[in-house]
Amino acid sequence: MRISEVAALALATRLLEAHGAPRDHAVLQARILVTAEMKGHPSHGLHRLPRLVERIERGIIDPATKGTQRWRADAVMEVEGSSGFGPVVAMAAIERLAPHIPDLGIGLVALRNANHLGMLSHYVEAIAAMGFIGIALSSSESLAGDPRAMLGTNPVAVAVPTAEEPLVLDLATGLVPMSRINHHATAVPDPEGWRRDAEGRPTTDPVRARAGAIAPFEDAKGHGLGIAMELLVAAIAGSALAPDVRGTMESQSPCNKADVFIMIEPSLASGLPARLSAYLDAVRASPTAKAGEPVLVPGDRARRRREAASRNGFDIDQRLWEDLNALSRSRILAFEGQRS
Amino acid sequence: MRISEVAALALATRLLEAHGAPRDHAVLQARILVTAEMKGHPSHGLHRLPRLVERIERGIIDPATKGTQRWRADAVMEVEGSSGFGPVVAMAAIERLAPHIPDLGIGLVALRNANHLGMLSHYVEAIAAMGFIGIALSSSESLAGDPRAMLGTNPVAVAVPTAEEPLVLDLATGLVPMSRINHHATAVPDPEGWRRDAEGRPTTDPVRARAGAIAPFEDAKGHGLGIAMELLVAAIAGSALAPDVRGTMESQSPCNKADVFIMIEPSLASGLPARLSAYLDAVRASPTAKAGEPVLVPGDRARRRREAASRNGFDIDQRLWEDLNALSRSRILAFEGQRS
């Protein structure tokens, strides 16, 4: 079924308020969930709302806190998330650091123990809207399994402001089944598919490959990047590593993952924002794009989907929407009962 | 044929000194080329030496400069590379910024117009040896071609210090033939292979995929990451974008690419370095590793190869070695002739 942005926001906001979230916290947390639906990423959308509600009821989300901020160094804001809503704690820290970025040139937020942030694109888009380059990294729960999974999804997001829309990249790096990790990470990888010759053809001949190029991303690189992101976040934030991370996928445990935001003042080189936009337009206009289908750059698809969903609404699983409405009715009645 | 580390270093150092490089500059530039050979990456090795010599002769490498450093902001060191050796200009800037990292918590070097840096792992390893987390990004020449290629290789390297050896990731992100870029970046990608169900099987069914996971890295992600790195470096350094980058692959043009280094003081959380090491050891000891073949984490393979090459020497194309020796003899004779 199709619902409107306004209806979805209203339902989620009221449900969270009924559970003790201050209005601005409820609005921001709802915004994050609904925007994920609108961008076409329901994995980060409204199906997480019942879990947030359950976590508040169990006392492992504190809907009222913004966390505790302290300057760990001149350019590093460290935040104890105190089981607050991820979006609320993260945006409070970003807004606290932002006014210092023009003087510092670069700054970092290291955030522990906040709840799930949702799509990281939201945060780097907000940073780009302030005129800064944004990089966001999160650690996350590893996949349950036997053998024990060692890597979280370890999402990374990057936004770079331009003269027009920012570039916005948001992807998961490390979520690979253990079987594939081991297949690709054992001591001597099969070089098949790793390299290309001067004509772009796959080759396993190192001499031909020397004249050519490295093949596009595949699993060994994804695995390496996943481990690197895992260590990067833990080393910056001092937080748990994937096998010990809890609380992003269930309603029993406090959330002990970490999130890192880096904010950078772009170069003030004359004409730079226009040059960046022109480059992205050249990528979009690549002459080999299929007829009528421009090449997209990171962020384009989500932006279009979001704009379309804002006009026309978005599709949601009917059962989920009915469940959310039933939950909302019962809790809001209970809430109003308490009040009266 | 097999040669020793010492012989390779001696040849490269003397050849560069004979072309006007101060001894410490020659040693560092030689070290970078030889280490790449030893790590098993001859694409970044000695075959680049004749090109460096040619570039010095044409006046588009200044072997004596360390570039011009200035503080762009409290935590950002901007460097005009002035056509210096990449390794010399980069390490000088890293060493200038390093003493400030404990106070700042994070700092950045934005370097323009230095020559090719070689493998980025060298720089992040040096940063990790100082006790800091290192991230390095470079822009680079796009692949020549018709249609015009839009992306450089855009390498990224990350090193995280632990209680034992650091994790060291060094990979190229964006080097994909235009045909593949367009195939994967058009408006509606084939979702085949993008997602997995709850059992880890590939699926194109969004409902099943919602319970599952994102598939490992493949080309669309590599493309997105490549564009993001491209914009990130250009926006931080104010430098040229790939189609306009020159001077990393030939001997005619001054080098106008850029390099970015981010240095971060790790969390001082108690026991963190040992915890990071233990995690990497757990990845290495994964029970599903093939008998006798431990799972490797980023940096392991290059470290082992380098150690073995330090003991036993390394293989090099016989023709290349003979050419380098001939070049060395003729130039050193000429150099000594000038002196006398």
Side-chain angles (χ1 to χ4, degrees):
Chain A
M1 65 177 296
R2 175 155 296 207
I3 59 168
S4 73
E5 179 181 6
V6 170
L9 283 173
L11 182 148
T13 303
R14 273 160 37 200
L15 184 55
L16 293 168
E17 276 193 283
H19 283 80
R23 167 144 273 252
D24 55 335
H25 293 197
V27 166
L28 177 55
Q29 177 63 67
R31 175 82 266 167
I32 295 276
L33 298 176
V34 173
T35 300
E37 297 280 351
M38 295 169 71
K39 286 180 172 174
H41 292 277
S43 62
H44 288 62
L46 290 168
H47 83 100
R48 290 179 176 265
L49 187 51
R51 202 181 300 148
L52 290 178
V53 165
E54 248 180 82
R55 291 176 67 82
I56 297 172
E57 288 173 345
R58 288 173 191 257
I60 54 178
I61 286 184
D62 173 357
T65 187
K66 285 183 161 60
T68 305
Q69 303 167 341
R70 73 175 190 98
W71 290 101
R72 184 165 94 187
D74 293 352
V76 175
M77 168 73 67
E78 191 171 82
V79 184
E80 163 54 49
S82 308
S83 295
F85 284 134
V88 169
V89 178
M91 285 306 303
I94 288 168
E95 286 163 8
R96 175 90 183 278
L97 180 59
H100 301 275
I101 298 299
D103 284 341
L104 292 170
I106 185 170
L108 182 146
V109 171
L111 163 55
R112 276 196 312 270
N113 304 333
N115 279 280
H116 194 257
L117 262 65
M119 287 186 75
L120 291 183
S121 54
H122 179 87
Y123 307 92
V124 292
E125 281 169 354
I127 293 169
M130 300 169 184
F132 306 125
I133 296 162
I135 301 173
L137 311 170
S138 286
S139 57
S140 58
E141 222 148 334
S142 64
L143 279 183
D146 177 38
R148 196 167 75 141
M150 296 296 293
L151 281 175
T153 49
N154 300 345
V156 51
V158 174
V160 179
T162 75
E164 296 164 21
E165 297 289 352
L167 168 131
V168 183
L169 178 79
D170 184 355
L171 52 76
T173 56
L175 189 58
V176 287
M178 219 37 205
S179 59
R180 284 188 84 110
I181 289 181
N182 289 313
H183 177 65
H184 284 283
T186 41
V188 183
D190 176 4
E192 183 80 43
W194 276 62
R195 304 222 274 179
R196 293 172 187 280
D197 66 14
E199 280 72 47
R201 292 174 303 220
T203 181
T204 58
D205 175 351
V207 177
R208 297 177 63 82
R210 218 171 290 178
I214 300 155
F217 258 114
E218 41 74 69
D219 296 2
K221 285 196 179 184
H223 176 236
L225 199 55
I227 297 188
M229 294 301 129
E230 189 72 43
L231 242 66
L232 208 46
V233 173
I236 292 172
S239 55
L241 289 144
D244 302 319
V245 170
R246 299 285 177 274
T248 69
M249 290 156 64
E250 32 73 3
S251 309
Q252 274 74 49
S253 322
C255 198
N256 62 345
K257 59 102 180 87
D259 310 287
V260 170
F261 304 96
I262 297 175
M263 301 167 73
I264 305 171
E265 169 101 305
S267 159
L268 301 177
S270 160
L272 179 64
R275 213 149 48 72
L276 299 180
S277 297
Y279 171 76
L280 294 182
D281 283 343
V283 172
R284 292 185 182 103
S286 167
T288 53
K290 284 180 196 157
E293 288 184 1
V295 172
L296 296 183
V297 305
D300 283 358
R301 183 176 298 117
R303 194 178 296 118
R304 285 184 196 180
R305 282 185 174 158
R306 184 184 173 162
E307 286 164 5
S310 194
R311 287 191 303 273
N312 310 321
F314 57 91
D315 290 326
I316 190 169
D317 183 79
Q318 180 157 357
R319 174 81 180 274
L320 172 60
W321 185 244
E322 286 168 0
D323 287 352
L324 291 174
N325 275 284
L327 185 65
S328 182
R329 276 192 300 275
S330 70
R331 302 308 162 102
I332 290 169
L333 280 178
F335 175 60
E336 287 173 351
Q338 284 171 9
R339 271 187 162 173
S340 64
Chain B
M1 65 177 296
R2 177 156 293 208
I3 59 168
S4 73
E5 177 179 10
V6 169
L9 282 172
L11 182 148
T13 303
R14 273 160 38 199
L15 185 54
L16 294 168
E17 276 193 281
H19 283 81
R23 167 145 271 254
D24 56 333
H25 293 197
V27 166
L28 177 55
Q29 177 65 68
R31 175 83 265 169
I32 296 276
L33 298 176
V34 173
T35 300
E37 297 280 352
M38 295 170 71
K39 287 180 173 174
H41 293 276
S43 61
H44 288 63
L46 289 167
H47 82 103
R48 291 179 174 266
L49 187 51
R51 201 182 299 146
L52 290 177
V53 164
E54 248 180 82
R55 292 177 66 84
I56 296 172
E57 287 173 346
R58 288 173 191 257
I60 53 177
I61 286 184
D62 174 356
T65 188
K66 286 183 161 61
T68 304
Q69 304 167 342
R70 73 174 190 98
W71 291 101
R72 183 165 96 190
D74 294 351
V76 175
M77 167 73 66
E78 191 171 80
V79 184
E80 163 54 50
S82 308
S83 295
F85 285 133
V88 169
V89 178
M91 284 308 302
I94 287 169
E95 285 163 9
R96 175 91 183 276
L97 180 59
H100 300 276
I101 297 301
D103 283 342
L104 292 169
I106 186 170
L108 182 145
V109 171
L111 164 54
R112 276 196 311 270
N113 304 334
N115 279 278
H116 194 257
L117 263 65
M119 287 187 75
L120 291 183
S121 54
H122 179 88
Y123 307 93
V124 292
E125 282 168 353
I127 293 169
M130 301 168 183
F132 307 126
I133 296 161
I135 301 172
L137 310 171
S138 286
S139 57
S140 57
E141 223 148 335
S142 65
L143 280 183
D146 177 40
R148 197 166 76 141
M150 297 296 293
L151 281 174
T153 49
N154 299 345
V156 52
V158 173
V160 179
T162 74
E164 296 163 23
E165 297 289 351
L167 169 132
V168 182
L169 179 80
D170 184 355
L171 52 78
T173 57
L175 189 57
V176 289
M178 218 41 203
S179 58
R180 286 190 82 110
I181 289 180
N182 290 314
H183 177 66
H184 284 283
T186 42
V188 183
D190 175 5
E192 184 79 42
W194 276 61
R195 304 221 276 178
R196 294 171 186 282
D197 67 13
E199 280 72 48
R201 292 174 303 222
T203 180
T204 57
D205 175 350
V207 177
R208 296 179 63 83
R210 215 170 294 180
I214 300 155
F217 259 112
E218 42 74 69
D219 295 3
K221 286 197 177 182
H223 178 236
L225 199 56
I227 297 186
M229 294 302 128
E230 190 70 44
L231 243 68
L232 207 46
V233 173
I236 292 172
S239 55
L241 290 145
D244 302 320
V245 171
R246 298 286 176 275
T248 69
M249 289 155 66
E250 33 74 2
S251 310
Q252 274 74 49
S253 323
C255 197
N256 62 346
K257 58 101 182 85
D259 309 287
V260 170
F261 303 97
I262 297 175
M263 301 167 74
I264 305 171
E265 169 102 304
S267 160
L268 300 177
S270 160
L272 179 64
R275 213 150 50 72
L276 300 180
S277 298
Y279 171 76
L280 294 182
D281 283 343
V283 171
R284 292 185 183 103
S286 165
T288 52
K290 285 180 197 155
E293 288 184 3
V295 173
L296 295 184
V297 305
D300 284 358
R301 183 176 298 118
R303 194 177 297 121
R304 285 183 196 183
R305 283 185 175 158
R306 184 182 173 163
E307 287 164 3
S310 193
R311 287 191 302 273
N312 311 321
F314 57 92
D315 291 325
I316 189 169
D317 184 77
Q318 181 157 356
R319 175 82 179 274
L320 172 61
W321 186 243
E322 287 167 1
D323 288 352
L324 291 174
N325 275 283
L327 184 65
S328 182
R329 276 191 300 275
S330 70
R331 303 307 163 102
I332 290 169
L333 280 177
F335 175 59
E336 288 172 353
Q338 285 172 8
R339 272 187 161 172
S340 64

